[in-house]
Amino acid sequence: MNIITKAYFNFIWSKNYQVVVAPPKSTDFANFTYSGCGFVVRYKGYNFFITADHVIHGEHFEADERDAKDNVVGVLLCKNDMECYASLVVPLGGIYDFTKYQLPKSKDDLVFPELVDVAFCKVDERLKECVTIELRIEDEIIVSAGEPKGYIPTEMFLEHPSKDELYVVAGTILKVHQNGIRFSPLNAIYCGLEYVETIDNLFHLKYPQTIDYQQWAGLSGSPVFNNEGKLLGMLLRVEDGGHAVWVKPISEIVKFLNYSLSIENSI
């Protein structure tokens, strides 16, 4: 693999973080209930950690409603033995999540709240300790373990997709062992995604091969990049047995970041 390609994979690999979620009031993550991915953006002078809301509130999306219980969310540092991770998690707090309401025009036009699949929080210096898991492609080490992770700056945001470009999803899926205190990380890179259309403020991409959901489950919340390393948005879901990949545009996520900042400034 040439130097330019290695530099590209080094860049995108260092921008994906592993998320683990434990039940409300948990004091550790030894028996996490959900896992996924996330990424950090630098926006208006703040670092925001962003993931899909269904990663941290899976039970809400299964029930299609929000309750008052908040799960405990953390990010893996990946600094030491990958099979003993309970002390390697940075808890996240102050997470914003959203429910979209539509006011009824009449009593017969009642619309129930719709969960918005975006969640984020401001993060501090602790995430600077996060490092990469080793990435190999065809037995060649492309990214070494222990490389520092980082954030995606605003100038790397991609406003609109193009049908002339290809897109990439890369991340690590956590496979939990039955004893609940070990996991096996499975690295996944999916290249060659093509933009099809935009529907309901989501980008519909097409993956060239048939999608096996089990090979994608756990990548929700991953950043999606073009071939220049610019951020298109966040992976939300895929079509099992099909080709569709759905991405939340970074331009839509930014609207929520702006809203949270306006709320904080008004307090």
Side-chain angles (χ1 to χ4, degrees), residues 114-138:
E114 176 186 345
L115 302 184
V116 178
D117 206 354
V118 175
F120 59 84
C121 64
K122 288 180 180 177
V123 289
D124 55 25
E125 298 296 310
R126 292 176 299 165
L127 286 193
K128 284 190 174 181
E129 299 181 36
C130 292
V131 293
T132 58
I133 297 172
E134 181 183 271
L135 173 65
R136 290 175 178 257
I137 299 179
E138 296 180 352

Side-chain angles (χ1 to χ4, degrees), residues 19-85:
V19 180
V20 287
V21 181
K25 299 183 180 180
S26 297
T27 57
D28 61 56
F29 293 86
N31 290 288
F32 63 82
T33 52
Y34 299 101
S35 65
C37 295
F39 56 98
V40 178
V41 299
R42 181 73 173 172
Y43 184 70
K44 291 190 174 180
Y46 300 99
N47 285 359
F48 288 95
F49 187 87
I50 300 170
T51 187
D53 192 25
H54 75 261
V55 169
I56 64 176
H57 292 119
E59 71 279 13
H60 295 175
F61 281 82
E62 291 167 7
D64 198 26
E65 63 181 2
R66 181 83 69 204
D67 62 32
K69 297 178 180 179
D70 282 325
N71 293 329
V72 182
V73 184
V75 175
L76 292 179
L77 294 179
C78 305
K79 292 193 70 173
N80 299 304
D81 181 1
M82 289 299 297
E83 294 186 341
C84 181
Y85 64 88

Side-chain angles (χ1 to χ4, degrees), residues 96 98 120 254-265:
Y96 281 88
F98 299 87
F120 59 84
V254 162
K255 294 178 182 178
F256 294 106
L257 302 183
N258 285 329
Y259 178 77
S260 71
L261 291 174
S262 68
I263 292 297
E264 292 177 3
N265 292 334

Side-chain angles (χ1 to χ4, degrees), residues 201-205 224 232-236 245-249:
N201 294 323
L202 293 180
F203 294 145
H204 171 200
L205 305 184
V224 181
L232 178 67
M234 176 178 66
L235 177 67
L236 286 187
V245 175
W246 298 95
V247 174
K248 187 75 171 181

